[in-house]
Amino acid sequence: GQQLNQSPQSMFIQEGEDVSMNCTSSSIFNTWLWYKQDPGEGPVLLIALYKAGELTSNGRLTAQFGITRKDSFLNISASIPSDVGIYFCAGGIYGQNFVFGPGTRLSVLP
Amino acid sequence: DGGITQSPKYLFRKEGQNVTLSCEQNLNHDAMYWYRQDPGQGLRLIYYSQIVNDFQKGDIAEGYSVSREKKESFPLTVTSAQKNPTAFYLCASSIGQNNQPQHFGDGTRLSIL
């Protein structure tokens, strides 16, 4: 079946730094979603992307739908301690269920 | 507030026992989903339902069962046939199935006694 890869698997950054992570697939998707999950809680939707090349922001978060439709990127600017968590991407295509990536674990050092 | 409620937050199962996890939503969403999450892995789909009284198997349905008698409710039963049930279970819902973002509950952590 379809699989998504997320890079990096984990990252440690200093508070105030910018963060970049990506999600790649061998398949084309029509929709990309980005979620954040705090420990012991459910994922919360951050950004939804519906068009190749689309760039969407949500506060300090910016996500892009890759031109090839096989990847997506998430950037976080000026990280703060509450950014800690696991960031998941999900790819969707019409008529099929979303596929979720394994996540990128973000740690922010004070 | 509208949302998805999962209960209980923690659940313990004895060997050979069936347990049922509750999922209720008041978002008026048609589609509902159950996922299993293991450490370091992505979400794996167990079952999903697009409409009342209908549901479909996901990628890892063996050892699980569901029902969808009401639009708001989609309970998951972990049967004794599921030999490795220890995991974090997440319920989600969406307006429809096709490319609509899914919204998640806060999960149920199931452990074996």
PDB file of all heavy atoms in Angstrom, chain B residues 47-79:
ATOM      1  N   TYR B  47     -11.104   0.336  11.233  1.00  0.00           N
ATOM      2  CA  TYR B  47     -12.415   0.309  10.584  1.00  0.00           C
ATOM      3  C   TYR B  47     -12.827   1.750  10.283  1.00  0.00           C
ATOM      4  O   TYR B  47     -12.373   2.681  10.930  1.00  0.00           O
ATOM      5  CB  TYR B  47     -13.484  -0.305  11.499  1.00  0.00           C
ATOM      6  CG  TYR B  47     -13.690  -1.785  11.376  1.00  0.00           C
ATOM      7  CD1 TYR B  47     -13.093  -2.678  12.262  1.00  0.00           C
ATOM      8  CD2 TYR B  47     -14.531  -2.304  10.379  1.00  0.00           C
ATOM      9  CE1 TYR B  47     -13.294  -4.047  12.147  1.00  0.00           C
ATOM     10  CE2 TYR B  47     -14.747  -3.677  10.275  1.00  0.00           C
ATOM     11  CZ  TYR B  47     -14.128  -4.544  11.165  1.00  0.00           C
ATOM     12  OH  TYR B  47     -14.341  -5.899  11.058  1.00  0.00           O
ATOM     13  N   TYR B  48     -13.719   1.898   9.298  1.00  0.00           N
ATOM     14  CA  TYR B  48     -14.301   3.196   9.052  1.00  0.00           C
ATOM     15  C   TYR B  48     -15.745   3.029   8.616  1.00  0.00           C
ATOM     16  O   TYR B  48     -16.154   1.970   8.142  1.00  0.00           O
ATOM     17  CB  TYR B  48     -13.502   4.002   8.028  1.00  0.00           C
ATOM     18  CG  TYR B  48     -13.432   3.409   6.645  1.00  0.00           C
ATOM     19  CD1 TYR B  48     -14.258   3.862   5.617  1.00  0.00           C
ATOM     20  CD2 TYR B  48     -12.509   2.404   6.342  1.00  0.00           C
ATOM     21  CE1 TYR B  48     -14.169   3.323   4.340  1.00  0.00           C
ATOM     22  CE2 TYR B  48     -12.433   1.869   5.073  1.00  0.00           C
ATOM     23  CZ  TYR B  48     -13.249   2.326   4.087  1.00  0.00           C
ATOM     24  OH  TYR B  48     -13.166   1.790   2.816  1.00  0.00           O
ATOM     25  N   SER B  49     -16.489   4.124   8.773  1.00  0.00           N
ATOM     26  CA  SER B  49     -17.909   4.105   8.428  1.00  0.00           C
ATOM     27  C   SER B  49     -18.251   5.418   7.736  1.00  0.00           C
ATOM     28  O   SER B  49     -17.953   6.493   8.241  1.00  0.00           O
ATOM     29  CB  SER B  49     -18.751   3.944   9.699  1.00  0.00           C
ATOM     30  OG  SER B  49     -20.118   4.211   9.441  1.00  0.00           O
ATOM     31  N   GLN B  50     -18.875   5.319   6.584  1.00  0.00           N
ATOM     32  CA  GLN B  50     -19.256   6.521   5.837  1.00  0.00           C
ATOM     33  C   GLN B  50     -20.682   6.937   6.125  1.00  0.00           C
ATOM     34  O   GLN B  50     -21.065   8.088   5.854  1.00  0.00           O
ATOM     35  CB  GLN B  50     -19.098   6.270   4.340  1.00  0.00           C
ATOM     36  CG  GLN B  50     -17.676   5.932   3.931  1.00  0.00           C
ATOM     37  CD  GLN B  50     -17.578   5.646   2.445  1.00  0.00           C
ATOM     38  OE1 GLN B  50     -17.955   6.472   1.627  1.00  0.00           O
ATOM     39  NE2 GLN B  50     -17.070   4.481   2.096  1.00  0.00           N
ATOM     40  N   ILE B  51     -21.476   6.003   6.651  1.00  0.00           N
ATOM     41  CA  ILE B  51     -22.882   6.298   6.872  1.00  0.00           C
ATOM     42  C   ILE B  51     -23.423   5.333   7.919  1.00  0.00           C
ATOM     43  O   ILE B  51     -22.848   4.254   8.143  1.00  0.00           O
ATOM     44  CB  ILE B  51     -23.662   6.181   5.539  1.00  0.00           C
ATOM     45  CG1 ILE B  51     -25.018   6.863   5.620  1.00  0.00           C
ATOM     46  CG2 ILE B  51     -23.771   4.731   5.117  1.00  0.00           C
ATOM     47  CD1 ILE B  51     -25.696   6.992   4.262  1.00  0.00           C
ATOM     48  N   VAL B  52     -24.516   5.716   8.542  1.00  0.00           N
ATOM     49  CA  VAL B  52     -25.128   4.860   9.562  1.00  0.00           C
ATOM     50  C   VAL B  52     -25.443   3.480   8.991  1.00  0.00           C
ATOM     51  O   VAL B  52     -25.839   3.346   7.832  1.00  0.00           O
ATOM     52  CB  VAL B  52     -26.411   5.537  10.103  1.00  0.00           C
ATOM     53  CG1 VAL B  52     -27.146   4.608  11.069  1.00  0.00           C
ATOM     54  CG2 VAL B  52     -26.070   6.833  10.813  1.00  0.00           C
ATOM     55  N   ASN B  53     -25.221   2.471   9.819  1.00  0.00           N
ATOM     56  CA  ASN B  53     -25.505   1.071   9.490  1.00  0.00           C
ATOM     57  C   ASN B  53     -24.609   0.511   8.382  1.00  0.00           C
ATOM     58  O   ASN B  53     -24.962  -0.508   7.755  1.00  0.00           O
ATOM     59  CB  ASN B  53     -26.980   0.875   9.109  1.00  0.00           C
ATOM     60  CG  ASN B  53     -27.897   1.059  10.305  1.00  0.00           C
ATOM     61  OD1 ASN B  53     -27.564   0.672  11.431  1.00  0.00           O
ATOM     62  ND2 ASN B  53     -29.048   1.665  10.070  1.00  0.00           N
ATOM     63  N   ASP B  54     -23.501   1.171   8.149  1.00  0.00           N
ATOM     64  CA  ASP B  54     -22.537   0.662   7.169  1.00  0.00           C
ATOM     65  C   ASP B  54     -21.124   0.935   7.656  1.00  0.00           C
ATOM     66  O   ASP B  54     -20.840   2.024   8.169  1.00  0.00           O
ATOM     67  CB  ASP B  54     -22.757   1.333   5.813  1.00  0.00           C
ATOM     68  CG  ASP B  54     -21.851   0.729   4.746  1.00  0.00           C
ATOM     69  OD1 ASP B  54     -21.851  -0.508   4.578  1.00  0.00           O
ATOM     70  OD2 ASP B  54     -21.114   1.494   4.099  1.00  0.00           O
ATOM     71  N   PHE B  55     -20.230  -0.038   7.495  1.00  0.00           N
ATOM     72  CA  PHE B  55     -18.837   0.171   7.876  1.00  0.00           C
ATOM     73  C   PHE B  55     -17.968  -0.758   7.040  1.00  0.00           C
ATOM     74  O   PHE B  55     -18.449  -1.759   6.491  1.00  0.00           O
ATOM     75  CB  PHE B  55     -18.614  -0.067   9.373  1.00  0.00           C
ATOM     76  CG  PHE B  55     -19.210  -1.339   9.924  1.00  0.00           C
ATOM     77  CD1 PHE B  55     -18.538  -2.548   9.811  1.00  0.00           C
ATOM     78  CD2 PHE B  55     -20.443  -1.314  10.559  1.00  0.00           C
ATOM     79  CE1 PHE B  55     -19.094  -3.706  10.322  1.00  0.00           C
ATOM     80  CE2 PHE B  55     -20.991  -2.465  11.079  1.00  0.00           C
ATOM     81  CZ  PHE B  55     -20.327  -3.666  10.960  1.00  0.00           C
ATOM     82  N   GLN B  56     -16.708  -0.385   6.957  1.00  0.00           N
ATOM     83  CA  GLN B  56     -15.757  -1.119   6.118  1.00  0.00           C
ATOM     84  C   GLN B  56     -14.497  -1.440   6.908  1.00  0.00           C
ATOM     85  O   GLN B  56     -14.082  -0.658   7.772  1.00  0.00           O
ATOM     86  CB  GLN B  56     -15.358  -0.274   4.895  1.00  0.00           C
ATOM     87  CG  GLN B  56     -16.515   0.302   4.115  1.00  0.00           C
ATOM     88  CD  GLN B  56     -17.337  -0.759   3.434  1.00  0.00           C
ATOM     89  OE1 GLN B  56     -16.800  -1.818   3.076  1.00  0.00           O
ATOM     90  NE2 GLN B  56     -18.616  -0.513   3.254  1.00  0.00           N
ATOM     91  N   LYS B  57     -13.866  -2.558   6.575  1.00  0.00           N
ATOM     92  CA  LYS B  57     -12.598  -2.913   7.199  1.00  0.00           C
ATOM     93  C   LYS B  57     -11.487  -1.998   6.687  1.00  0.00           C
ATOM     94  O   LYS B  57     -11.448  -1.655   5.506  1.00  0.00           O
ATOM     95  CB  LYS B  57     -12.241  -4.359   6.888  1.00  0.00           C
ATOM     96  CG  LYS B  57     -13.150  -5.378   7.553  1.00  0.00           C
ATOM     97  CD  LYS B  57     -12.689  -6.797   7.248  1.00  0.00           C
ATOM     98  CE  LYS B  57     -13.581  -7.813   7.934  1.00  0.00           C
ATOM     99  NZ  LYS B  57     -13.156  -9.210   7.646  1.00  0.00           N
ATOM    100  N   GLY B  58     -10.586  -1.650   7.614  1.00  0.00           N
ATOM    101  CA  GLY B  58      -9.394  -0.927   7.230  1.00  0.00           C
ATOM    102  C   GLY B  58      -8.242  -1.895   7.025  1.00  0.00           C
ATOM    103  O   GLY B  58      -8.447  -3.059   6.668  1.00  0.00           O
ATOM    104  N   ASP B  59      -7.036  -1.430   7.292  1.00  0.00           N
ATOM    105  CA  ASP B  59      -5.848  -2.236   7.024  1.00  0.00           C
ATOM    106  C   ASP B  59      -5.582  -3.318   8.068  1.00  0.00           C
ATOM    107  O   ASP B  59      -4.905  -4.304   7.782  1.00  0.00           O
ATOM    108  CB  ASP B  59      -4.619  -1.312   6.936  1.00  0.00           C
ATOM    109  CG  ASP B  59      -4.762  -0.283   5.835  1.00  0.00           C
ATOM    110  OD1 ASP B  59      -5.268  -0.652   4.752  1.00  0.00           O
ATOM    111  OD2 ASP B  59      -4.376   0.879   6.044  1.00  0.00           O
ATOM    112  N   ILE B  60      -6.087  -3.118   9.308  1.00  0.00           N
ATOM    113  CA  ILE B  60      -5.767  -4.058  10.377  1.00  0.00           C
ATOM    114  C   ILE B  60      -7.027  -4.430  11.159  1.00  0.00           C
ATOM    115  O   ILE B  60      -7.071  -4.348  12.385  1.00  0.00           O
ATOM    116  CB  ILE B  60      -4.681  -3.479  11.322  1.00  0.00           C
ATOM    117  CG1 ILE B  60      -5.111  -2.125  11.882  1.00  0.00           C
ATOM    118  CG2 ILE B  60      -3.347  -3.344  10.605  1.00  0.00           C
ATOM    119  CD1 ILE B  60      -4.249  -1.670  13.054  1.00  0.00           C
ATOM    120  N   ALA B  61      -8.077  -4.878  10.488  1.00  0.00           N
ATOM    121  CA  ALA B  61      -9.371  -5.126  11.126  1.00  0.00           C
ATOM    122  C   ALA B  61      -9.425  -6.418  11.940  1.00  0.00           C
ATOM    123  O   ALA B  61     -10.318  -6.574  12.786  1.00  0.00           O
ATOM    124  CB  ALA B  61     -10.456  -5.139  10.072  1.00  0.00           C
ATOM    125  N   GLU B  62      -8.519  -7.341  11.730  1.00  0.00           N
ATOM    126  CA  GLU B  62      -8.603  -8.642  12.403  1.00  0.00           C
ATOM    127  C   GLU B  62      -8.526  -8.490  13.915  1.00  0.00           C
ATOM    128  O   GLU B  62      -7.625  -7.856  14.447  1.00  0.00           O
ATOM    129  CB  GLU B  62      -7.482  -9.566  11.913  1.00  0.00           C
ATOM    130  CG  GLU B  62      -7.589 -10.972  12.467  1.00  0.00           C
ATOM    131  CD  GLU B  62      -6.554 -11.920  11.883  1.00  0.00           C
ATOM    132  OE1 GLU B  62      -5.865 -11.526  10.908  1.00  0.00           O
ATOM    133  OE2 GLU B  62      -6.434 -13.049  12.384  1.00  0.00           O
ATOM    134  N   GLY B  63      -9.494  -9.114  14.605  1.00  0.00           N
ATOM    135  CA  GLY B  63      -9.518  -9.046  16.062  1.00  0.00           C
ATOM    136  C   GLY B  63     -10.311  -7.870  16.602  1.00  0.00           C
ATOM    137  O   GLY B  63     -10.368  -7.671  17.816  1.00  0.00           O
ATOM    138  N   TYR B  64     -10.919  -7.087  15.707  1.00  0.00           N
ATOM    139  CA  TYR B  64     -11.723  -5.932  16.093  1.00  0.00           C
ATOM    140  C   TYR B  64     -13.102  -6.037  15.472  1.00  0.00           C
ATOM    141  O   TYR B  64     -13.287  -6.677  14.449  1.00  0.00           O
ATOM    142  CB  TYR B  64     -11.075  -4.626  15.619  1.00  0.00           C
ATOM    143  CG  TYR B  64      -9.689  -4.367  16.154  1.00  0.00           C
ATOM    144  CD1 TYR B  64      -8.563  -4.684  15.384  1.00  0.00           C
ATOM    145  CD2 TYR B  64      -9.495  -3.792  17.398  1.00  0.00           C
ATOM    146  CE1 TYR B  64      -7.285  -4.440  15.862  1.00  0.00           C
ATOM    147  CE2 TYR B  64      -8.217  -3.535  17.884  1.00  0.00           C
ATOM    148  CZ  TYR B  64      -7.110  -3.865  17.108  1.00  0.00           C
ATOM    149  OH  TYR B  64      -5.855  -3.621  17.578  1.00  0.00           O
ATOM    150  N   SER B  65     -14.093  -5.374  16.108  1.00  0.00           N
ATOM    151  CA  SER B  65     -15.413  -5.249  15.506  1.00  0.00           C
ATOM    152  C   SER B  65     -15.981  -3.875  15.850  1.00  0.00           C
ATOM    153  O   SER B  65     -15.578  -3.243  16.827  1.00  0.00           O
ATOM    154  CB  SER B  65     -16.359  -6.354  15.988  1.00  0.00           C
ATOM    155  OG  SER B  65     -16.612  -6.209  17.374  1.00  0.00           O
ATOM    156  N   VAL B  66     -16.909  -3.415  15.007  1.00  0.00           N
ATOM    157  CA  VAL B  66     -17.518  -2.099  15.215  1.00  0.00           C
ATOM    158  C   VAL B  66     -19.006  -2.176  14.910  1.00  0.00           C
ATOM    159  O   VAL B  66     -19.493  -3.165  14.347  1.00  0.00           O
ATOM    160  CB  VAL B  66     -16.904  -1.006  14.301  1.00  0.00           C
ATOM    161  CG1 VAL B  66     -15.450  -0.732  14.667  1.00  0.00           C
ATOM    162  CG2 VAL B  66     -17.041  -1.398  12.835  1.00  0.00           C
ATOM    163  N   SER B  67     -19.719  -1.122  15.285  1.00  0.00           N
ATOM    164  CA  SER B  67     -21.119  -0.958  14.900  1.00  0.00           C
ATOM    165  C   SER B  67     -21.350   0.528  14.656  1.00  0.00           C
ATOM    166  O   SER B  67     -20.624   1.372  15.176  1.00  0.00           O
ATOM    167  CB  SER B  67     -22.056  -1.484  15.977  1.00  0.00           C
ATOM    168  OG  SER B  67     -21.901  -0.743  17.183  1.00  0.00           O
ATOM    169  N   ARG B  68     -22.373   0.828  13.843  1.00  0.00           N
ATOM    170  CA  ARG B  68     -22.711   2.242  13.586  1.00  0.00           C
ATOM    171  C   ARG B  68     -24.238   2.335  13.527  1.00  0.00           C
ATOM    172  O   ARG B  68     -24.849   2.500  12.479  1.00  0.00           O
ATOM    173  CB  ARG B  68     -22.085   2.715  12.270  1.00  0.00           C
ATOM    174  CG  ARG B  68     -22.292   4.206  12.021  1.00  0.00           C
ATOM    175  CD  ARG B  68     -21.240   5.049  12.635  1.00  0.00           C
ATOM    176  NE  ARG B  68     -21.483   6.475  12.567  1.00  0.00           N
ATOM    177  CZ  ARG B  68     -21.175   7.245  11.511  1.00  0.00           C
ATOM    178  NH1 ARG B  68     -20.649   6.715  10.422  1.00  0.00           N
ATOM    179  NH2 ARG B  68     -21.409   8.544  11.559  1.00  0.00           N
ATOM    180  N   GLU B  69     -24.842   2.241  14.693  1.00  0.00           N
ATOM    181  CA  GLU B  69     -26.298   2.283  14.791  1.00  0.00           C
ATOM    182  C   GLU B  69     -26.821   3.713  14.823  1.00  0.00           C
ATOM    183  O   GLU B  69     -27.993   3.969  14.507  1.00  0.00           O
ATOM    184  CB  GLU B  69     -26.748   1.507  16.026  1.00  0.00           C
ATOM    185  CG  GLU B  69     -26.409   0.025  15.959  1.00  0.00           C
ATOM    186  CD  GLU B  69     -26.797  -0.729  17.226  1.00  0.00           C
ATOM    187  OE1 GLU B  69     -27.369  -0.089  18.129  1.00  0.00           O
ATOM    188  OE2 GLU B  69     -26.525  -1.943  17.302  1.00  0.00           O
ATOM    189  N   LYS B  70     -25.992   4.630  15.243  1.00  0.00           N
ATOM    190  CA  LYS B  70     -26.354   6.044  15.283  1.00  0.00           C
ATOM    191  C   LYS B  70     -25.261   6.870  14.622  1.00  0.00           C
ATOM    192  O   LYS B  70     -24.095   6.504  14.658  1.00  0.00           O
ATOM    193  CB  LYS B  70     -26.530   6.518  16.728  1.00  0.00           C
ATOM    194  CG  LYS B  70     -27.617   5.818  17.499  1.00  0.00           C
ATOM    195  CD  LYS B  70     -27.812   6.468  18.868  1.00  0.00           C
ATOM    196  CE  LYS B  70     -26.561   6.377  19.703  1.00  0.00           C
ATOM    197  NZ  LYS B  70     -26.767   6.983  21.055  1.00  0.00           N
ATOM    198  N   LYS B  71     -25.633   7.993  14.061  1.00  0.00           N
ATOM    199  CA  LYS B  71     -24.668   8.850  13.372  1.00  0.00           C
ATOM    200  C   LYS B  71     -23.585   9.330  14.331  1.00  0.00           C
ATOM    201  O   LYS B  71     -22.421   9.469  13.960  1.00  0.00           O
ATOM    202  CB  LYS B  71     -25.390  10.054  12.773  1.00  0.00           C
ATOM    203  CG  LYS B  71     -24.528  10.938  11.892  1.00  0.00           C
ATOM    204  CD  LYS B  71     -25.360  12.034  11.253  1.00  0.00           C
ATOM    205  CE  LYS B  71     -24.531  12.855  10.286  1.00  0.00           C
ATOM    206  NZ  LYS B  71     -25.344  13.909   9.619  1.00  0.00           N
ATOM    207  N   GLU B  72     -23.976   9.565  15.595  1.00  0.00           N
ATOM    208  CA  GLU B  72     -23.051  10.167  16.550  1.00  0.00           C
ATOM    209  C   GLU B  72     -22.084   9.167  17.169  1.00  0.00           C
ATOM    210  O   GLU B  72     -21.105   9.568  17.793  1.00  0.00           O
ATOM    211  CB  GLU B  72     -23.825  10.823  17.695  1.00  0.00           C
ATOM    212  CG  GLU B  72     -24.967  11.741  17.280  1.00  0.00           C
ATOM    213  CD  GLU B  72     -26.206  10.983  16.884  1.00  0.00           C
ATOM    214  OE1 GLU B  72     -26.610  10.051  17.614  1.00  0.00           O
ATOM    215  OE2 GLU B  72     -26.775  11.294  15.821  1.00  0.00           O
ATOM    216  N   SER B  73     -22.340   7.881  17.033  1.00  0.00           N
ATOM    217  CA  SER B  73     -21.617   6.897  17.823  1.00  0.00           C
ATOM    218  C   SER B  73     -20.974   5.811  16.953  1.00  0.00           C
ATOM    219  O   SER B  73     -21.605   5.291  16.023  1.00  0.00           O
ATOM    220  CB  SER B  73     -22.586   6.247  18.815  1.00  0.00           C
ATOM    221  OG  SER B  73     -21.943   5.267  19.588  1.00  0.00           O
ATOM    222  N   PHE B  74     -19.736   5.440  17.300  1.00  0.00           N
ATOM    223  CA  PHE B  74     -19.009   4.436  16.527  1.00  0.00           C
ATOM    224  C   PHE B  74     -18.132   3.639  17.486  1.00  0.00           C
ATOM    225  O   PHE B  74     -16.907   3.784  17.519  1.00  0.00           O
ATOM    226  CB  PHE B  74     -18.168   5.126  15.449  1.00  0.00           C
ATOM    227  CG  PHE B  74     -17.574   4.208  14.411  1.00  0.00           C
ATOM    228  CD1 PHE B  74     -18.293   3.152  13.875  1.00  0.00           C
ATOM    229  CD2 PHE B  74     -16.291   4.436  13.924  1.00  0.00           C
ATOM    230  CE1 PHE B  74     -17.755   2.324  12.895  1.00  0.00           C
ATOM    231  CE2 PHE B  74     -15.736   3.619  12.940  1.00  0.00           C
ATOM    232  CZ  PHE B  74     -16.469   2.571  12.432  1.00  0.00           C
ATOM    233  N   PRO B  75     -18.705   2.749  18.290  1.00  0.00           N
ATOM    234  CA  PRO B  75     -17.917   2.004  19.273  1.00  0.00           C
ATOM    235  C   PRO B  75     -17.048   0.927  18.634  1.00  0.00           C
ATOM    236  O   PRO B  75     -17.445   0.310  17.636  1.00  0.00           O
ATOM    237  CB  PRO B  75     -18.980   1.384  20.183  1.00  0.00           C
ATOM    238  CG  PRO B  75     -20.207   1.305  19.328  1.00  0.00           C
ATOM    239  CD  PRO B  75     -20.151   2.481  18.391  1.00  0.00           C
ATOM    240  N   LEU B  76     -15.893   0.707  19.241  1.00  0.00           N
ATOM    241  CA  LEU B  76     -14.948  -0.305  18.779  1.00  0.00           C
ATOM    242  C   LEU B  76     -14.805  -1.377  19.857  1.00  0.00           C
ATOM    243  O   LEU B  76     -14.558  -1.067  21.022  1.00  0.00           O
ATOM    244  CB  LEU B  76     -13.579   0.333  18.526  1.00  0.00           C
ATOM    245  CG  LEU B  76     -12.426  -0.622  18.211  1.00  0.00           C
ATOM    246  CD1 LEU B  76     -12.545  -1.178  16.794  1.00  0.00           C
ATOM    247  CD2 LEU B  76     -11.069   0.062  18.390  1.00  0.00           C
ATOM    248  N   THR B  77     -14.981  -2.644  19.467  1.00  0.00           N
ATOM    249  CA  THR B  77     -14.750  -3.750  20.382  1.00  0.00           C
ATOM    250  C   THR B  77     -13.439  -4.438  20.033  1.00  0.00           C
ATOM    251  O   THR B  77     -13.235  -4.827  18.879  1.00  0.00           O
ATOM    252  CB  THR B  77     -15.903  -4.760  20.340  1.00  0.00           C
ATOM    253  OG1 THR B  77     -17.104  -4.117  20.793  1.00  0.00           O
ATOM    254  CG2 THR B  77     -15.624  -5.955  21.243  1.00  0.00           C
ATOM    255  N   VAL B  78     -12.580  -4.553  21.027  1.00  0.00           N
ATOM    256  CA  VAL B  78     -11.328  -5.294  20.883  1.00  0.00           C
ATOM    257  C   VAL B  78     -11.595  -6.693  21.412  1.00  0.00           C
ATOM    258  O   VAL B  78     -11.861  -6.867  22.605  1.00  0.00           O
ATOM    259  CB  VAL B  78     -10.188  -4.620  21.650  1.00  0.00           C
ATOM    260  CG1 VAL B  78      -8.873  -5.355  21.413  1.00  0.00           C
ATOM    261  CG2 VAL B  78     -10.069  -3.148  21.260  1.00  0.00           C
ATOM    262  N   THR B  79     -11.598  -7.667  20.533  1.00  0.00           N
ATOM    263  CA  THR B  79     -11.977  -9.008  20.936  1.00  0.00           C
ATOM    264  C   THR B  79     -10.771  -9.792  21.436  1.00  0.00           C
ATOM    265  O   THR B  79      -9.617  -9.384  21.249  1.00  0.00           O
ATOM    266  CB  THR B  79     -12.638  -9.762  19.773  1.00  0.00           C
ATOM    267  OG1 THR B  79     -11.627 -10.153  18.840  1.00  0.00           O
ATOM    268  CG2 THR B  79     -13.687  -8.909  19.085  1.00  0.00           C
TER     269      THR B  79
END
